Amino acid sequence: MSKLSSTIDNAIVQYFNHATGITTIWDRQDAIRPALPYISLSIQEIEDESGHQPDVAFDGAIRTLTFRNVATLRVRVFCNTDAAMGYLRDAIKYRYKSAGKTFLKNAEIAIREIDNIIDFSEMIDTNFELRAQANFIIAYADTVTDSDTQIVAISGTFNGAPFLGGSIPT
Amino acid sequence: MNTDCVLSRRKSEPALDQTTGLYGTIIRESKSIKANIQPAVSEDLQKLEEGLRTKNVKLIITSEPLQVLDRIVKDGKTFEIMHLDDFSLQGVQIFAHYQGIAVEVKE
């Protein structure tokens, strides 16, 4: 089961992988941690863009609904050098770079940081593990195709008098 | 009293897919063992992390060498070993055993 959609999930992993060049995984998987340094991603929240109805494309009895969503993504970096916060800076800067912009355009997502980068390094056994965290907003669209029985398309010939003295445009 | 159950162990760590950020399927190998499975008492629960203490927890005693994250399947229920005490070098060989505290996992 995908988190947002399998295409967008993969694009998010690729974005951080390209931006920082380090291993990127989804959080909370049943496996051992990869070797340091690595980035761990988790989706914190998904919401419909507030107040918006889905965009509807109506084709006979088939409707395509396009939902515009935003998701909050928590990004954590675990490493054993001072670069923890630097990796997140790289991830933020990548969206202004040409390569990053092209990537986001092709992946059809938008990304933006919403918080400061926080340090939460900790002592693990006898060594410090350098950690940093930042939250990002991901904007994306997903569509649903639906065969609608509530709205029925009609067809026929208009047989009334032309209104306002004009003729019905053809 | 020893009862028959199945020990299921990770054969290898799953491979990481660098494109999706997801690990592959965990491959396990199983074998039948005999183990003494008892309800865990409060002293055993203290050895677990706090979030696990309200789950269905069993104390598993066996002469079969166990590892943390091994799974024991008994009567259709699966328990994963979260804490392990190794008494294999304890005195006389016939008393050598492993004692695991296992939490039920639902898949």
Side-chain angles (χ1 to χ4, degrees):
Chain A
M1 192 64 194
S2 50
K3 291 161 182 64
L4 305 178
S5 82
S6 56
T7 321
I8 291 167
D9 286 3
N10 296 356
I12 294 170
V13 171
Q14 291 289 289
Y15 176 86
F16 287 95
N17 186 248
H18 291 174
T20 61
I22 60 177
T23 305
T24 305
I25 60 165
W26 286 104
D27 206 357
R28 298 165 202 158
Q29 293 188 66
D30 185 16
I32 55 164
R33 296 166 16 124
L36 300 178
Y38 72 94
I39 284 180
S40 162
L41 308 172
S42 58
I43 301 286
Q44 300 295 306
E45 205 173 26
I46 301 174
E47 64 169 304
D48 269 343
E49 209 171 77
S50 53
H52 278 280
Q53 292 285 327
D55 298 331
V56 183
F58 190 74
D59 172 22
I62 307 292
R63 290 186 309 161
T64 303
L65 307 175
T66 303
F67 295 87
R68 283 174 281 166
N69 308 311
V70 288
T72 310
L73 178 76
R74 177 164 294 168
V75 182
R76 290 175 173 160
V77 178
F78 299 81
C79 72
N80 48 12
T81 65
D82 282 333
M85 298 175 105
Y87 283 125
L88 286 173
R89 284 296 305 149
D90 286 347
I92 292 168
K93 284 185 277 189
Y94 189 59
R95 77 183 175 95
Y96 296 100
K97 289 185 180 174
S98 170
K101 282 194 274 196
T102 310
F103 178 85
L104 291 171
K105 180 169 177 279
N106 292 339
E108 298 182 340
I109 56 173
I111 191 166
R112 180 170 67 82
E113 69 283 0
I114 46 170
D115 277 345
N116 299 332
I117 300 172
I118 313 163
D119 176 277
F120 68 117
S121 301
E122 272 191 31
M123 185 76 117
I124 305 287
D125 295 332
T126 55
N127 292 320
F128 270 111
E129 184 171 286
L130 283 306
R131 300 175 177 177
Q133 175 184 308
N135 290 337
F136 289 76
I137 282 275
I138 308 282
Y140 66 103
D142 55 2
T143 57
V144 168
T145 306
D146 181 30
S147 170
D148 199 323
T149 55
Q150 303 298 317
I151 304 171
V152 180
I154 55 165
S155 62
T157 312
F158 190 82
N159 199 18
F163 47 87
L164 298 175
S167 61
I168 298 170
T170 52
Chain B
M1 193 183 75
N2 277 342
T3 56
D4 291 316
C5 56
V6 174
L7 168 67
S8 158
R9 175 170 294 165
R10 286 178 185 214
K11 205 169 177 182
S12 59
E13 280 302 322
L16 174 64
D17 184 334
Q18 297 276 1
T19 309
T20 61
L22 297 172
Y23 287 95
T25 317
I26 296 169
I27 298 165
R28 295 179 169 273
E29 50 190 358
S30 302
K31 68 172 176 177
S32 298
I33 62 163
K34 284 189 180 296
N36 188 336
I37 301 176
Q38 304 287 339
V41 296
S42 57
E43 206 173 67
D44 302 325
L45 296 180
Q46 295 285 325
K47 295 176 183 172
L48 295 177
E49 287 181 23
E50 285 169 16
L52 299 173
R53 291 179 189 165
T54 54
K55 306 246 193 283
N56 184 5
V57 182
K58 299 284 187 196
L59 178 69
I60 293 170
I61 303 162
T62 176
S63 57
E64 185 70 31
L66 293 178
Q67 295 174 6
V68 172
L69 295 182
D70 278 356
R71 288 184 174 184
I72 304 287
V73 184
K74 174 68 180 165
D75 296 336
K77 289 185 175 172
T78 306
F79 298 90
E80 188 162 278
I81 293 178
M82 304 305 285
H83 178 89
L84 184 67
D85 287 316
D86 178 356
F87 294 103
S88 63
L89 301 174
Q90 194 91 334
V92 193
Q93 198 56 34
I94 52 165
F95 295 130
H97 68 280
Y98 292 81
Q99 198 164 298
I101 300 169
V103 179
E104 185 175 358
V105 286
K106 296 196 167 101
E107 290 180 300

